[in-house]
Amino acid sequence: MNDAVKSDSPKAGEDFAEACRREAGPAWDAACGHPFTLALGEGTLPPAAMADYLVQDYAFVGTLVSMVGFAVGKAPDIAAQARLSTFLAAVTSAENTYFQRSFDALQVPEAQRSRPALREVTERLIAAMEDAGDRGSYGEILATLLPAEWIYLSWAEAQAAKSPGAFYFQEWIDLHVNADFRAFVLWLKDETDRAAAAAGAQERRAMAERFARMVRLEVDFFDMFHTR
């Protein structure tokens, strides 16, 4: 990784995660206010684009689960293991059910659900998560997970007051703006700060690089669908 980041040295009074978000700059803003998420909130996103998005998103859920599983194994205490395990339970239950119901409503064929043709950005997202889980420290895994979940909380909060109509729009927003998810993201942010505080300079740089990479990948991922 060769991203030019400096979050191993935050500004005075600034936590590590906030420094990473600040340094993401325009990419962070582009992800949180992307035209794709605006169209989703307005209910104007074409159903075919939503189906395409959900197929690609679902393609890396298993990788996300595996990566978080590695974090559970590397976590410093039972409290952190329990918090991450609760998140995994939500992803593999309520969120998975949402995907299946949405696939049914959008008439997504079984082959596309289980064996989709992956887009290049999807493959890069999978590779980033696999690498974090396989080779990254606990802090590096958190720094990979945090931007994705934080971005989803941010854009969902911006769309929460809208009524997009179809359940596959509304419930996707609701899954990412409820109190439990918000609390998890805040915990994840604090836990990332704690991991960074305990890490050496090299590991903090690696964490910052992984954070920056995931922000850019989220923008690239949304880019694939908003013009459809």
Side-chain angles (χ1 to χ4, degrees):
M1 292 177 288
N2 56 10
D3 306 271
V5 291
K6 303 176 183 177
S7 294
D8 54 312
S9 301
K11 293 180 178 179
E14 184 178 46
D15 291 330
F16 177 84
E18 285 293 345
C20 287
R21 182 195 58 78
R22 171 178 52 79
E23 289 174 8
W28 181 269
D29 295 337
C32 296
H34 198 282
F36 168 79
T37 67
L38 299 180
L40 192 158
E42 296 288 348
T44 58
L45 189 71
M50 186 63 176
D52 192 13
Y53 162 76
L54 290 177
V55 165
Q56 294 297 308
D57 194 273
Y58 193 65
F60 55 76
V61 168
T63 306
L64 172 68
V65 169
S66 295
M67 182 185 73
V68 178
F70 278 109
V72 172
K74 297 177 181 181
D77 52 52
I78 292 177
Q81 290 175 325
R83 201 71 179 86
L84 291 164
S85 297
T86 299
F87 171 71
L88 285 180
V91 171
T92 56
S93 57
E95 188 165 319
N96 186 66
T97 299
Y98 161 82
F99 274 109
Q100 300 307 321
R101 291 172 55 238
S102 298
F103 287 152
D104 289 343
L106 292 163
Q107 299 182 328
V108 175
E110 178 58 37
Q112 290 185 35
R113 306 181 192 195
S114 57
R115 299 180 303 280
L118 299 181
R119 305 286 187 83
E120 185 265 343
V121 178
T122 307
E123 291 178 336
R124 285 194 281 135
L125 275 163
I126 289 172
M129 289 187 286
E130 286 180 340
D131 186 72
D134 291 343
R135 302 196 305 122
S137 65
Y138 176 66
E140 287 177 71
I141 297 174
L142 296 182
T144 302
L145 179 64
L146 174 60
E149 305 308 320
W150 196 356
I151 285 168
Y152 268 67
L153 173 63
S154 297
W155 76 250
E157 286 181 332
Q159 304 305 313
K162 300 178 181 178
S163 299
F167 83 85
Y168 44 77
F169 296 141
Q170 185 66 61
E171 291 186 21
W172 192 237
I173 296 170
D174 293 344
L175 279 168
H176 296 101
V177 78
N178 62 78
D180 288 342
F181 183 70
R182 185 181 292 109
F184 174 72
V185 173
L186 293 176
W187 174 86
L188 185 58
K189 180 174 176 287
D190 290 343
E191 187 73 358
T192 302
D193 287 337
R194 282 191 287 270
Q202 183 175 354
E203 183 180 349
R204 286 196 298 273
R205 284 193 293 272
M207 290 172 65
E209 288 165 0
R210 290 187 186 277
F211 187 105
R213 177 171 296 181
M214 285 300 292
V215 174
R216 292 196 304 274
L217 283 171
E218 288 292 344
V219 177
D220 292 345
F221 191 68
F222 291 155
D223 281 346
M224 292 193 296
F225 310 106
H226 84 272
T227 58
R228 292 175 176 270

